Amino acid sequence: MDSQGQDGQRVVWAVVGTGIGPLLLAATKDGLVNVVFHATDAVREQAVERLASRFGTEPVEAPGSPLLAEAIGQVEAYFAGERKDFDLPLDWSLISGFNRQVLRALADGVPYGSVVGYGDLAGRVGQPGAAQAVGMAMGANPLPVVVPCHRVVESGGGIGGFGGGLETKRKLLALEGVLPEPLF
């Protein structure tokens, strides 16, 4: 594979340290395309292989890339408590159909410091009986944190599931003031 891929697509990535552990951020010329939790060596290697397969190009580690600079800055500001909204171009090419529709509704309609139930989000996209499918869409989110799937909770007050782990979800909700910080 070359560094430009089948369509001249370049994929760059970097790892950013955060309060929930290292995040891998990957971007294309169209925007941020992937955020990966717990980006240890093994996870990072697997994520880069998936991106290479999907885009037909070998992703390049490039923390200084202009394609990543704004995303890195905004993620760091979010975890420092200095930013509540992400204003980034997003490359939605890793997700399609219902899942993309749900994630766009989430990104556009559930602000910092608030939560929405799985069923409520299903209703927002015109599929009121699709709470379980919304849960699947959250699990398929290629852009967690930036597209805030941590803000989707069970209607009965439970925290629900989370691809990054429940402790990570709790920390993100605490950062946004939805849950109290753990005492210990």
Side-chain angles (χ1 to χ4, degrees), residues 22-48:
L23 293 178
L24 180 141
L25 305 181
T28 68
K29 64 178 175 38
D30 296 324
L32 188 66
V33 72
N34 203 198
V35 176
V36 179
F37 290 112
H38 315 298
T40 60
D41 291 342
V43 170
R44 198 168 43 237
E45 189 175 304
Q46 198 174 41
V48 169

Side-chain angles (χ1 to χ4, degrees), residues 147-166:
V147 176
C149 53
H150 60 277
R151 296 180 190 153
V152 183
V153 298
E154 294 174 351
S155 59
I159 194 168
F162 195 61
L166 292 181

Side-chain angles (χ1 to χ4, degrees), residues 19-109:
I20 58 168
L23 293 178
L24 180 141
L25 305 181
T28 68
K29 64 178 175 38
D30 296 324
L32 188 66
V33 72
N34 203 198
V35 176
V36 179
F37 290 112
H38 315 298
T40 60
D41 291 342
V43 170
R44 198 168 43 237
E45 189 175 304
Q46 198 174 41
V48 169
E49 286 175 13
R50 275 194 315 270
L51 289 166
S53 174
R54 172 62 177 83
F55 287 101
T57 183
E58 193 62 42
V60 177
E61 183 175 12
S65 168
L67 295 174
L68 286 171
E70 186 62 26
I72 290 169
Q74 288 190 28
V75 165
E76 289 174 340
Y78 170 82
F79 282 99
E82 300 164 358
R83 173 174 275 283
K84 294 184 178 184
D85 299 308
F86 292 98
D87 183 20
L88 296 168
L90 301 177
D91 178 340
W92 292 94
S93 64
L94 293 179
I95 197 152
S96 61
F98 177 79
N99 289 357
R100 184 187 292 188
Q101 182 184 8
V102 168
L103 291 171
R104 283 183 179 261
L106 172 65
D108 295 339

Side-chain angles (χ1 to χ4, degrees), residues 105-133:
L106 172 65
D108 295 339
V110 183
Y112 183 97
S114 64
V115 294
V116 65
Y118 293 96
D120 293 336
L121 189 53
R124 290 183 188 192
V125 297
Q127 301 290 327
Q132 194 169 15

